[in-house]
Amino acid sequence: MIILREVETVQIDVPRHKLPQHMKEGTILSVFFDEEGNIANAEVLEDATESARESVQQLLEKTNRKRNFL
């Protein structure tokens, strides 16, 4: 499943074999669709994925610190 970042309420079911092999949950992709709505090209955005993972990790750490403080 692909969730559009700009409109996270939009989800598109995509067969796994149509996506890059080395991706996993949380991977950020650049996806281009053809005129029929099929995936024409999909590539992993490594820098964006790593940045998002770091942001999530920081939020989790902040939440845990607050929880331990209370």
Side-chain angles (χ1 to χ4, degrees):
M1 174 186 325
I2 294 175
I3 299 174
L4 301 181
R5 284 185 91 184
E6 295 83 21
V7 186
E8 292 185 2
T9 58
V10 175
Q11 299 178 8
I12 303 170
D13 289 323
V14 176
R16 177 80 178 176
H17 70 274
K18 300 233 177 190
L19 299 172
Q21 294 286 328
H22 62 284
M23 65 163 283
K24 56 186 176 183
E25 183 178 351
T27 300
I28 297 176
L29 303 172
S30 176
V31 180
F32 297 93
F33 296 92
D34 63 17
E35 299 80 30
E36 289 84 39
N38 299 310
I39 292 180
N41 184 36
E43 62 183 63
V44 174
L45 300 178
E46 300 286 350
D47 292 341
T49 299
E50 184 59 30
S51 178
R53 286 196 174 121
E54 288 173 1
S55 294
V56 168
Q57 184 62 35
Q58 290 172 359
L59 287 171
L60 287 171
E61 290 171 3
K62 183 177 179 181
T63 301
N64 286 334
R65 282 194 301 270
K66 284 185 177 181
R67 189 178 305 155
N68 291 335
F69 181 72
L70 299 175

Short mmCIF file of all heavy atoms in Angstrom, two decimals:
data_model
loop_
_atom_site.label_atom_id
_atom_site.label_comp_id
_atom_site.label_asym_id
_atom_site.label_seq_id
_atom_site.Cartn_x
_atom_site.Cartn_y
_atom_site.Cartn_z
N MET A 1 0.84 -1.16 0.00
CA MET A 1 0.00 0.00 0.00
C MET A 1 0.90 1.24 0.00
O MET A 1 1.90 1.29 0.68
CB MET A 1 -0.89 0.00 1.24
CG MET A 1 -1.70 1.26 1.36
SD MET A 1 -2.66 1.43 2.88
CE MET A 1 -3.17 -0.19 3.25
N ILE A 2 0.52 2.21 -0.76
CA ILE A 2 1.21 3.50 -0.80
C ILE A 2 0.28 4.53 -0.17
O ILE A 2 -0.92 4.56 -0.47
CB ILE A 2 1.53 3.91 -2.25
CG1 ILE A 2 2.55 2.96 -2.86
CG2 ILE A 2 2.04 5.34 -2.30
CD1 ILE A 2 2.82 3.25 -4.33
N ILE A 3 0.82 5.36 0.71
CA ILE A 3 0.07 6.47 1.28
C ILE A 3 0.70 7.74 0.77
O ILE A 3 1.91 7.94 0.88
CB ILE A 3 0.10 6.43 2.82
CG1 ILE A 3 -0.53 5.13 3.33
CG2 ILE A 3 -0.61 7.65 3.41
CD1 ILE A 3 -0.42 4.94 4.82
N LEU A 4 -0.10 8.61 0.18
CA LEU A 4 0.42 9.86 -0.36
C LEU A 4 0.77 10.80 0.79
O LEU A 4 -0.04 11.02 1.69
CB LEU A 4 -0.60 10.50 -1.29
CG LEU A 4 -1.03 9.66 -2.49
CD1 LEU A 4 -2.02 10.45 -3.35
CD2 LEU A 4 0.16 9.24 -3.32
N ARG A 5 1.97 11.36 0.77
CA ARG A 5 2.42 12.23 1.86
C ARG A 5 1.62 13.52 1.93
O ARG A 5 1.32 14.01 3.02
CB ARG A 5 3.90 12.57 1.69
CG ARG A 5 4.79 11.42 2.07
CD ARG A 5 6.22 11.82 2.02
NE ARG A 5 6.62 12.32 3.34
CZ ARG A 5 7.80 12.81 3.60
NH1 ARG A 5 8.70 12.91 2.65
NH2 ARG A 5 8.11 13.21 4.80
N GLU A 6 1.29 14.11 0.80
CA GLU A 6 0.57 15.37 0.81
C GLU A 6 -0.85 15.21 1.34
O GLU A 6 -1.39 16.10 1.96
CB GLU A 6 0.52 15.99 -0.59
CG GLU A 6 1.86 16.38 -1.16
CD GLU A 6 2.61 15.22 -1.80
OE1 GLU A 6 1.97 14.21 -2.15
OE2 GLU A 6 3.83 15.31 -1.91
N VAL A 7 -1.45 14.09 1.04
CA VAL A 7 -2.83 13.81 1.46
C VAL A 7 -2.83 12.40 2.04
O VAL A 7 -3.16 11.44 1.37
CB VAL A 7 -3.81 13.89 0.26
CG1 VAL A 7 -5.25 13.74 0.73
CG2 VAL A 7 -3.62 15.16 -0.54
N GLU A 8 -2.48 12.29 3.32
CA GLU A 8 -2.27 10.98 3.92
C GLU A 8 -3.54 10.15 4.05
O GLU A 8 -3.48 8.99 4.43
CB GLU A 8 -1.56 11.12 5.27
CG GLU A 8 -0.13 11.60 5.08
CD GLU A 8 0.65 11.63 6.38
OE1 GLU A 8 0.11 11.24 7.43
OE2 GLU A 8 1.81 12.04 6.32
N THR A 9 -4.68 10.73 3.70
CA THR A 9 -5.91 9.95 3.72
C THR A 9 -6.06 9.16 2.42
O THR A 9 -6.92 8.29 2.33
CB THR A 9 -7.14 10.86 3.91
OG1 THR A 9 -7.16 11.83 2.87
CG2 THR A 9 -7.10 11.55 5.26
N VAL A 10 -5.22 9.44 1.42
CA VAL A 10 -5.28 8.73 0.15
C VAL A 10 -4.33 7.53 0.22
O VAL A 10 -3.14 7.68 0.46
CB VAL A 10 -4.89 9.64 -1.04
CG1 VAL A 10 -4.85 8.84 -2.33
CG2 VAL A 10 -5.84 10.80 -1.14
N GLN A 11 -4.88 6.34 0.04
CA GLN A 11 -4.09 5.12 0.04
C GLN A 11 -4.31 4.40 -1.29
O GLN A 11 -5.43 4.33 -1.78
CB GLN A 11 -4.51 4.20 1.19
CG GLN A 11 -4.32 4.82 2.54
CD GLN A 11 -4.77 3.91 3.66
OE1 GLN A 11 -5.11 2.75 3.45
NE2 GLN A 11 -4.80 4.44 4.86
N ILE A 12 -3.22 3.87 -1.83
CA ILE A 12 -3.30 3.16 -3.10
C ILE A 12 -2.72 1.77 -2.90
O ILE A 12 -1.57 1.63 -2.47
CB ILE A 12 -2.51 3.91 -4.21
CG1 ILE A 12 -3.04 5.33 -4.36
CG2 ILE A 12 -2.58 3.14 -5.53
CD1 ILE A 12 -2.18 6.21 -5.24
N ASP A 13 -3.51 0.74 -3.18
CA ASP A 13 -3.01 -0.63 -3.10
C ASP A 13 -2.17 -0.92 -4.34
O ASP A 13 -2.63 -0.73 -5.47
CB ASP A 13 -4.16 -1.63 -3.00
CG ASP A 13 -4.86 -1.56 -1.66
OD1 ASP A 13 -4.17 -1.34 -0.65
OD2 ASP A 13 -6.09 -1.71 -1.62
N VAL A 14 -0.95 -1.37 -4.10
CA VAL A 14 -0.01 -1.64 -5.18
C VAL A 14 0.59 -3.02 -4.95
O VAL A 14 1.04 -3.31 -3.83
CB VAL A 14 1.11 -0.58 -5.21
CG1 VAL A 14 2.14 -0.91 -6.27
CG2 VAL A 14 0.54 0.81 -5.42
N PRO A 15 0.62 -3.88 -5.97
CA PRO A 15 1.27 -5.17 -5.79
C PRO A 15 2.75 -4.99 -5.42
O PRO A 15 3.44 -4.13 -5.98
CB PRO A 15 1.14 -5.83 -7.17
CG PRO A 15 0.02 -5.11 -7.84
CD PRO A 15 0.05 -3.72 -7.30
N ARG A 16 3.21 -5.76 -4.47
CA ARG A 16 4.59 -5.65 -3.97
C ARG A 16 5.61 -5.75 -5.10
O ARG A 16 6.62 -5.05 -5.09
CB ARG A 16 4.82 -6.74 -2.92
CG ARG A 16 6.19 -6.80 -2.36
CD ARG A 16 6.38 -5.76 -1.31
NE ARG A 16 7.71 -5.90 -0.77
CZ ARG A 16 8.22 -5.11 0.10
NH1 ARG A 16 7.51 -4.12 0.55
NH2 ARG A 16 9.43 -5.27 0.53
N HIS A 17 5.36 -6.61 -6.08
CA HIS A 17 6.34 -6.81 -7.16
C HIS A 17 6.50 -5.57 -8.06
O HIS A 17 7.44 -5.48 -8.83
CB HIS A 17 5.98 -8.05 -8.00
CG HIS A 17 4.76 -7.89 -8.84
ND1 HIS A 17 3.49 -8.12 -8.36
CD2 HIS A 17 4.61 -7.50 -10.12
CE1 HIS A 17 2.61 -7.90 -9.31
NE2 HIS A 17 3.26 -7.51 -10.40
N LYS A 18 5.60 -4.60 -7.92
CA LYS A 18 5.71 -3.38 -8.72
C LYS A 18 6.54 -2.30 -8.02
O LYS A 18 6.78 -1.24 -8.57
CB LYS A 18 4.33 -2.82 -9.02
CG LYS A 18 3.46 -3.77 -9.79
CD LYS A 18 2.92 -3.12 -10.99
CE LYS A 18 2.11 -4.16 -11.75
NZ LYS A 18 1.75 -3.71 -13.03
N LEU A 19 6.97 -2.58 -6.79
CA LEU A 19 7.74 -1.63 -6.00
C LEU A 19 9.20 -2.06 -5.93
O LEU A 19 9.51 -3.23 -6.17
CB LEU A 19 7.15 -1.53 -4.59
CG LEU A 19 5.70 -1.04 -4.54
CD1 LEU A 19 5.16 -1.16 -3.13
CD2 LEU A 19 5.60 0.39 -5.04
N PRO A 20 10.12 -1.14 -5.59
CA PRO A 20 11.53 -1.50 -5.48
C PRO A 20 11.74 -2.65 -4.48
O PRO A 20 11.09 -2.70 -3.43
CB PRO A 20 12.20 -0.22 -4.97
CG PRO A 20 11.30 0.88 -5.45
CD PRO A 20 9.92 0.30 -5.37
N GLN A 21 12.63 -3.57 -4.82
CA GLN A 21 12.86 -4.78 -4.03
C GLN A 21 13.30 -4.50 -2.59
O GLN A 21 12.85 -5.17 -1.68
CB GLN A 21 13.93 -5.65 -4.71
CG GLN A 21 13.51 -6.22 -6.05
CD GLN A 21 12.52 -7.35 -5.88
OE1 GLN A 21 12.56 -8.08 -4.90
NE2 GLN A 21 11.63 -7.50 -6.84
N HIS A 22 14.18 -3.56 -2.38
CA HIS A 22 14.80 -3.37 -1.07
C HIS A 22 14.04 -2.44 -0.14
O HIS A 22 14.53 -2.07 0.91
CB HIS A 22 16.24 -2.87 -1.24
CG HIS A 22 16.35 -1.55 -1.92
ND1 HIS A 22 16.19 -1.41 -3.28
CD2 HIS A 22 16.58 -0.32 -1.43
CE1 HIS A 22 16.33 -0.13 -3.59
NE2 HIS A 22 16.57 0.55 -2.49
N MET A 23 12.82 -2.09 -0.47
CA MET A 23 12.06 -1.20 0.38
C MET A 23 11.35 -1.98 1.47
O MET A 23 11.14 -3.17 1.37
CB MET A 23 11.07 -0.37 -0.41
CG MET A 23 9.98 -1.15 -1.09
SD MET A 23 8.62 -0.13 -1.57
CE MET A 23 7.81 0.10 -0.02
N LYS A 24 11.02 -1.27 2.56
CA LYS A 24 10.25 -1.86 3.65
C LYS A 24 9.29 -0.81 4.17
O LYS A 24 9.27 0.33 3.68
CB LYS A 24 11.18 -2.37 4.74
CG LYS A 24 12.11 -1.34 5.30
CD LYS A 24 13.08 -1.97 6.28
CE LYS A 24 14.07 -0.91 6.74
NZ LYS A 24 15.07 -1.45 7.62
N GLU A 25 8.49 -1.17 5.14
CA GLU A 25 7.51 -0.24 5.70
C GLU A 25 8.21 1.04 6.14
O GLU A 25 9.27 1.02 6.76
CB GLU A 25 6.83 -0.89 6.90
CG GLU A 25 5.75 -0.04 7.52
CD GLU A 25 5.06 -0.73 8.68
OE1 GLU A 25 5.27 -1.92 8.90
OE2 GLU A 25 4.28 -0.04 9.35
N GLY A 26 7.61 2.16 5.78
CA GLY A 26 8.17 3.46 6.15
C GLY A 26 9.09 4.06 5.11
O GLY A 26 9.52 5.19 5.23
N THR A 27 9.41 3.29 4.06
CA THR A 27 10.28 3.79 3.00
C THR A 27 9.55 4.87 2.21
O THR A 27 8.38 4.71 1.86
CB THR A 27 10.72 2.65 2.06
OG1 THR A 27 11.41 1.67 2.83
CG2 THR A 27 11.61 3.15 0.95
N ILE A 28 10.24 5.96 1.93
CA ILE A 28 9.65 7.03 1.14
C ILE A 28 10.07 6.85 -0.31
O ILE A 28 11.25 6.66 -0.60
CB ILE A 28 10.08 8.41 1.69
CG1 ILE A 28 9.55 8.56 3.12
CG2 ILE A 28 9.56 9.53 0.78
CD1 ILE A 28 9.98 9.82 3.80
N LEU A 29 9.08 6.89 -1.19
CA LEU A 29 9.31 6.66 -2.61
C LEU A 29 8.93 7.87 -3.45
O LEU A 29 8.06 8.66 -3.05
CB LEU A 29 8.44 5.49 -3.11
CG LEU A 29 8.58 4.14 -2.45
CD1 LEU A 29 7.49 3.21 -2.96
CD2 LEU A 29 9.95 3.58 -2.70
N SER A 30 9.54 7.96 -4.60
CA SER A 30 9.09 8.86 -5.64
C SER A 30 8.41 7.96 -6.67
O SER A 30 9.05 7.06 -7.22
CB SER A 30 10.27 9.60 -6.27
OG SER A 30 9.84 10.39 -7.34
N VAL A 31 7.12 8.17 -6.88
CA VAL A 31 6.35 7.27 -7.75
C VAL A 31 5.74 8.07 -8.89
O VAL A 31 5.15 9.13 -8.68
CB VAL A 31 5.23 6.56 -6.95
CG1 VAL A 31 4.43 5.63 -7.85
CG2 VAL A 31 5.81 5.81 -5.77
N PHE A 32 5.89 7.54 -10.09
CA PHE A 32 5.27 8.13 -11.27
C PHE A 32 4.28 7.15 -11.85
O PHE A 32 4.58 5.95 -11.97
CB PHE A 32 6.34 8.49 -12.32
CG PHE A 32 7.31 9.52 -11.83
CD1 PHE A 32 8.50 9.16 -11.23
CD2 PHE A 32 7.01 10.87 -11.95
CE1 PHE A 32 9.38 10.11 -10.76
CE2 PHE A 32 7.88 11.84 -11.48
CZ PHE A 32 9.07 11.46 -10.88
N PHE A 33 3.10 7.65 -12.19
CA PHE A 33 2.05 6.81 -12.75
C PHE A 33 1.87 7.12 -14.23
O PHE A 33 2.05 8.26 -14.66
CB PHE A 33 0.73 7.07 -12.02
CG PHE A 33 0.78 6.69 -10.56
CD1 PHE A 33 1.14 7.61 -9.60
CD2 PHE A 33 0.46 5.40 -10.17
CE1 PHE A 33 1.19 7.27 -8.25
CE2 PHE A 33 0.51 5.04 -8.83
CZ PHE A 33 0.88 5.98 -7.87
N ASP A 34 1.48 6.09 -15.00
CA ASP A 34 1.19 6.31 -16.42
C ASP A 34 -0.25 6.80 -16.58
O ASP A 34 -0.95 7.02 -15.59
CB ASP A 34 1.48 5.05 -17.25
CG ASP A 34 0.59 3.87 -16.87
OD1 ASP A 34 -0.47 4.06 -16.21
OD2 ASP A 34 0.95 2.74 -17.23
N GLU A 35 -0.69 6.96 -17.81
CA GLU A 35 -2.02 7.49 -18.09
C GLU A 35 -3.14 6.61 -17.55
O GLU A 35 -4.24 7.09 -17.25
CB GLU A 35 -2.23 7.68 -19.61
CG GLU A 35 -1.28 8.63 -20.27
CD GLU A 35 0.08 8.00 -20.57
OE1 GLU A 35 0.17 6.78 -20.82
OE2 GLU A 35 1.08 8.74 -20.54
N GLU A 36 -2.89 5.31 -17.43
CA GLU A 36 -3.91 4.38 -16.93
C GLU A 36 -3.89 4.27 -15.41
O GLU A 36 -4.67 3.52 -14.83
CB GLU A 36 -3.72 2.99 -17.54
CG GLU A 36 -4.08 2.89 -19.02
CD GLU A 36 -2.92 3.33 -19.90
OE1 GLU A 36 -1.76 3.02 -19.57
OE2 GLU A 36 -3.17 3.99 -20.91
N GLY A 37 -2.96 4.97 -14.74
CA GLY A 37 -2.88 4.90 -13.29
C GLY A 37 -1.98 3.82 -12.76
O GLY A 37 -1.94 3.57 -11.56
N ASN A 38 -1.26 3.14 -13.66
CA ASN A 38 -0.32 2.11 -13.24
C ASN A 38 1.03 2.75 -12.91
O ASN A 38 1.38 3.80 -13.46
CB ASN A 38 -0.11 1.07 -14.35
CG ASN A 38 -1.41 0.38 -14.69
OD1 ASN A 38 -2.11 -0.10 -13.83
ND2 ASN A 38 -1.73 0.35 -15.98
N ILE A 39 1.79 2.10 -12.05
CA ILE A 39 3.11 2.63 -11.71
C ILE A 39 4.03 2.51 -12.91
O ILE A 39 4.25 1.43 -13.44
CB ILE A 39 3.72 1.89 -10.50
CG1 ILE A 39 2.92 2.23 -9.25
CG2 ILE A 39 5.17 2.28 -10.30
CD1 ILE A 39 3.42 1.57 -8.00
N ALA A 40 4.55 3.64 -13.35
CA ALA A 40 5.50 3.65 -14.46
C ALA A 40 6.93 3.56 -13.93
O ALA A 40 7.79 2.94 -14.54
CB ALA A 40 5.33 4.93 -15.30
N ASN A 41 7.17 4.19 -12.76
CA ASN A 41 8.50 4.18 -12.16
C ASN A 41 8.36 4.46 -10.67
O ASN A 41 7.55 5.29 -10.26
CB ASN A 41 9.39 5.24 -12.82
CG ASN A 41 10.81 5.20 -12.31
OD1 ASN A 41 11.34 4.13 -12.02
ND2 ASN A 41 11.43 6.35 -12.18
N ALA A 42 9.16 3.77 -9.86
CA ALA A 42 9.18 4.02 -8.42
C ALA A 42 10.62 3.88 -7.95
O ALA A 42 11.29 2.90 -8.27
CB ALA A 42 8.29 3.03 -7.69
N GLU A 43 11.09 4.90 -7.23
CA GLU A 43 12.45 4.82 -6.71
C GLU A 43 12.46 5.26 -5.25
O GLU A 43 11.68 6.10 -4.82
CB GLU A 43 13.42 5.67 -7.53
CG GLU A 43 13.12 7.14 -7.54
CD GLU A 43 14.06 7.93 -8.42
OE1 GLU A 43 14.07 7.68 -9.64
OE2 GLU A 43 14.78 8.77 -7.87
N VAL A 44 13.35 4.64 -4.48
CA VAL A 44 13.48 4.93 -3.07
C VAL A 44 14.20 6.26 -2.89
O VAL A 44 15.22 6.51 -3.54
CB VAL A 44 14.25 3.81 -2.35
CG1 VAL A 44 14.51 4.16 -0.90
CG2 VAL A 44 13.48 2.49 -2.44
N LEU A 45 13.67 7.11 -2.02
CA LEU A 45 14.31 8.37 -1.66
C LEU A 45 15.02 8.15 -0.32
O LEU A 45 14.44 8.31 0.76
CB LEU A 45 13.29 9.50 -1.56
CG LEU A 45 12.50 9.79 -2.84
CD1 LEU A 45 11.48 10.89 -2.61
CD2 LEU A 45 13.46 10.18 -3.96
N GLU A 46 16.29 7.71 -0.42
CA GLU A 46 17.07 7.32 0.75
C GLU A 46 17.19 8.46 1.77
O GLU A 46 16.98 8.24 2.97
CB GLU A 46 18.46 6.84 0.34
CG GLU A 46 18.47 5.64 -0.58
CD GLU A 46 18.12 4.33 0.09
OE1 GLU A 46 18.04 4.29 1.34
OE2 GLU A 46 17.91 3.33 -0.62
N ASP A 47 17.55 9.66 1.32
CA ASP A 47 17.74 10.77 2.25
C ASP A 47 16.45 11.15 2.97
O ASP A 47 16.45 11.37 4.18
CB ASP A 47 18.31 11.99 1.52
CG ASP A 47 19.74 11.79 1.04
OD1 ASP A 47 20.42 10.88 1.57
OD2 ASP A 47 20.18 12.54 0.15
N ALA A 48 15.36 11.19 2.24
CA ALA A 48 14.07 11.54 2.85
C ALA A 48 13.63 10.46 3.83
O ALA A 48 13.09 10.77 4.90
CB ALA A 48 13.01 11.73 1.76
N THR A 49 13.87 9.20 3.49
CA THR A 49 13.52 8.09 4.38
C THR A 49 14.31 8.18 5.67
O THR A 49 13.76 8.06 6.77
CB THR A 49 13.76 6.74 3.68
OG1 THR A 49 12.92 6.67 2.52
CG2 THR A 49 13.42 5.57 4.59
N GLU A 50 15.62 8.38 5.56
CA GLU A 50 16.47 8.46 6.75
C GLU A 50 16.09 9.67 7.61
O GLU A 50 16.02 9.57 8.84
CB GLU A 50 17.94 8.54 6.35
CG GLU A 50 18.89 8.54 7.51
CD GLU A 50 18.80 7.31 8.40
OE1 GLU A 50 18.44 6.22 7.91
OE2 GLU A 50 19.07 7.44 9.61
N SER A 51 15.82 10.79 6.99
CA SER A 51 15.42 11.99 7.72
C SER A 51 14.12 11.75 8.48
O SER A 51 13.98 12.14 9.65
CB SER A 51 15.27 13.15 6.75
OG SER A 51 14.84 14.30 7.42
N ALA A 52 13.15 11.12 7.85
CA ALA A 52 11.87 10.83 8.49
C ALA A 52 12.07 9.86 9.66
O ALA A 52 11.47 10.05 10.73
CB ALA A 52 10.89 10.26 7.48
N ARG A 53 12.91 8.86 9.49
CA ARG A 53 13.17 7.90 10.57
C ARG A 53 13.83 8.60 11.76
O ARG A 53 13.51 8.31 12.91
CB ARG A 53 14.03 6.75 10.07
CG ARG A 53 13.24 5.80 9.20
CD ARG A 53 13.92 4.47 9.00
NE ARG A 53 13.00 3.60 8.28
CZ ARG A 53 13.25 3.05 7.12
NH1 ARG A 53 14.41 3.21 6.54
NH2 ARG A 53 12.35 2.29 6.54
N GLU A 54 14.76 9.50 11.49
CA GLU A 54 15.41 10.24 12.56
C GLU A 54 14.41 11.12 13.31
O GLU A 54 14.44 11.20 14.53
CB GLU A 54 16.55 11.08 12.01
CG GLU A 54 17.75 10.26 11.58
CD GLU A 54 18.83 11.08 10.87
OE1 GLU A 54 18.67 12.31 10.72
OE2 GLU A 54 19.82 10.47 10.45
N SER A 55 13.51 11.76 12.58
CA SER A 55 12.48 12.60 13.20
C SER A 55 11.57 11.78 14.10
O SER A 55 11.26 12.19 15.23
CB SER A 55 11.64 13.31 12.14
OG SER A 55 12.43 14.23 11.43
N VAL A 56 11.17 10.63 13.63
CA VAL A 56 10.31 9.74 14.42
C VAL A 56 11.05 9.28 15.67
O VAL A 56 10.50 9.27 16.77
CB VAL A 56 9.83 8.54 13.58
CG1 VAL A 56 9.18 7.49 14.46
CG2 VAL A 56 8.87 9.00 12.50
N GLN A 57 12.32 8.92 15.51
CA GLN A 57 13.11 8.47 16.66
C GLN A 57 13.23 9.58 17.70
O GLN A 57 13.08 9.32 18.91
CB GLN A 57 14.51 8.03 16.20
CG GLN A 57 15.36 7.46 17.30
CD GLN A 57 14.77 6.20 17.92
OE1 GLN A 57 14.15 5.39 17.25
NE2 GLN A 57 14.94 6.04 19.22
N GLN A 58 13.45 10.81 17.27
CA GLN A 58 13.54 11.93 18.20
C GLN A 58 12.22 12.16 18.94
O GLN A 58 12.21 12.43 20.15
CB GLN A 58 13.96 13.20 17.46
CG GLN A 58 15.40 13.17 16.99
CD GLN A 58 15.76 14.35 16.10
OE1 GLN A 58 14.93 15.20 15.80
NE2 GLN A 58 17.01 14.38 15.65
N LEU A 59 11.11 12.05 18.22
CA LEU A 59 9.80 12.20 18.86
C LEU A 59 9.56 11.10 19.89
O LEU A 59 9.03 11.36 20.98
CB LEU A 59 8.69 12.19 17.81
CG LEU A 59 8.57 13.44 16.96
CD1 LEU A 59 7.57 13.21 15.83
CD2 LEU A 59 8.15 14.64 17.81
N LEU A 60 9.94 9.87 19.57
CA LEU A 60 9.79 8.77 20.52
C LEU A 60 10.63 8.99 21.76
O LEU A 60 10.17 8.77 22.89
CB LEU A 60 10.16 7.44 19.86
CG LEU A 60 9.18 6.90 18.83
CD1 LEU A 60 9.77 5.69 18.11
CD2 LEU A 60 7.87 6.52 19.51
N GLU A 61 11.86 9.44 21.58
CA GLU A 61 12.73 9.71 22.71
C GLU A 61 12.16 10.84 23.58
O GLU A 61 12.18 10.75 24.81
CB GLU A 61 14.14 10.05 22.23
CG GLU A 61 14.87 8.87 21.65
CD GLU A 61 16.18 9.23 20.97
OE1 GLU A 61 16.58 10.42 20.99
OE2 GLU A 61 16.82 8.31 20.41
N LYS A 62 11.65 11.88 22.96
CA LYS A 62 11.06 13.00 23.69
C LYS A 62 9.84 12.53 24.48
O LYS A 62 9.67 12.89 25.65
CB LYS A 62 10.66 14.10 22.70
CG LYS A 62 10.10 15.33 23.34
CD LYS A 62 9.80 16.39 22.29
CE LYS A 62 9.21 17.64 22.91
NZ LYS A 62 8.90 18.66 21.90
N THR A 63 9.01 11.71 23.86
CA THR A 63 7.83 11.17 24.53
C THR A 63 8.24 10.31 25.73
O THR A 63 7.65 10.42 26.81
CB THR A 63 6.98 10.34 23.55
OG1 THR A 63 6.59 11.18 22.47
CG2 THR A 63 5.75 9.76 24.22
N ASN A 64 9.24 9.48 25.55
CA ASN A 64 9.71 8.62 26.64
C ASN A 64 10.29 9.44 27.79
O ASN A 64 10.07 9.10 28.96
CB ASN A 64 10.73 7.60 26.14
CG ASN A 64 10.08 6.50 25.33
OD1 ASN A 64 8.90 6.20 25.51
ND2 ASN A 64 10.83 5.90 24.44
N ARG A 65 11.01 10.50 27.48
CA ARG A 65 11.55 11.37 28.53
C ARG A 65 10.43 12.01 29.33
O ARG A 65 10.47 12.07 30.56
CB ARG A 65 12.47 12.45 27.93
CG ARG A 65 13.84 11.96 27.57
CD ARG A 65 14.79 13.11 27.31
NE ARG A 65 14.36 13.99 26.22
CZ ARG A 65 14.67 13.82 24.94
NH1 ARG A 65 15.41 12.80 24.57
NH2 ARG A 65 14.25 14.67 24.04
N LYS A 66 9.40 12.50 28.63
CA LYS A 66 8.25 13.10 29.33
C LYS A 66 7.55 12.07 30.19
O LYS A 66 7.14 12.36 31.31
CB LYS A 66 7.27 13.70 28.32
CG LYS A 66 7.73 15.00 27.73
CD LYS A 66 6.66 15.58 26.83
CE LYS A 66 7.09 16.92 26.29
NZ LYS A 66 6.06 17.52 25.42
N ARG A 67 7.38 10.87 29.67
CA ARG A 67 6.70 9.81 30.42
C ARG A 67 7.50 9.45 31.66
O ARG A 67 6.93 9.24 32.73
CB ARG A 67 6.52 8.58 29.52
CG ARG A 67 5.64 7.54 30.15
CD ARG A 67 5.41 6.34 29.26
NE ARG A 67 4.88 6.75 27.98
CZ ARG A 67 5.02 6.05 26.88
NH1 ARG A 67 5.69 4.94 26.87
NH2 ARG A 67 4.51 6.48 25.74
N ASN A 68 8.81 9.38 31.56
CA ASN A 68 9.66 9.05 32.71
C ASN A 68 9.70 10.17 33.73
O ASN A 68 9.92 9.94 34.91
CB ASN A 68 11.07 8.70 32.24
CG ASN A 68 11.11 7.38 31.49
OD1 ASN A 68 10.27 6.52 31.67
ND2 ASN A 68 12.09 7.23 30.63
N PHE A 69 9.49 11.40 33.28
CA PHE A 69 9.50 12.55 34.17
C PHE A 69 8.25 12.56 35.06
O PHE A 69 8.30 12.98 36.20
CB PHE A 69 9.60 13.85 33.35
CG PHE A 69 9.64 15.08 34.20
CD1 PHE A 69 10.78 15.38 34.95
CD2 PHE A 69 8.55 15.94 34.26
CE1 PHE A 69 10.80 16.53 35.73
CE2 PHE A 69 8.58 17.08 35.05
CZ PHE A 69 9.72 17.37 35.78
N LEU A 70 7.14 12.12 34.49
CA LEU A 70 5.88 12.14 35.24
C LEU A 70 5.88 11.02 36.20
O LEU A 70 5.82 10.50 37.00
CB LEU A 70 4.68 12.01 34.31
CG LEU A 70 4.54 13.14 33.29
CD1 LEU A 70 3.38 12.83 32.35
CD2 LEU A 70 4.27 14.46 33.99
#
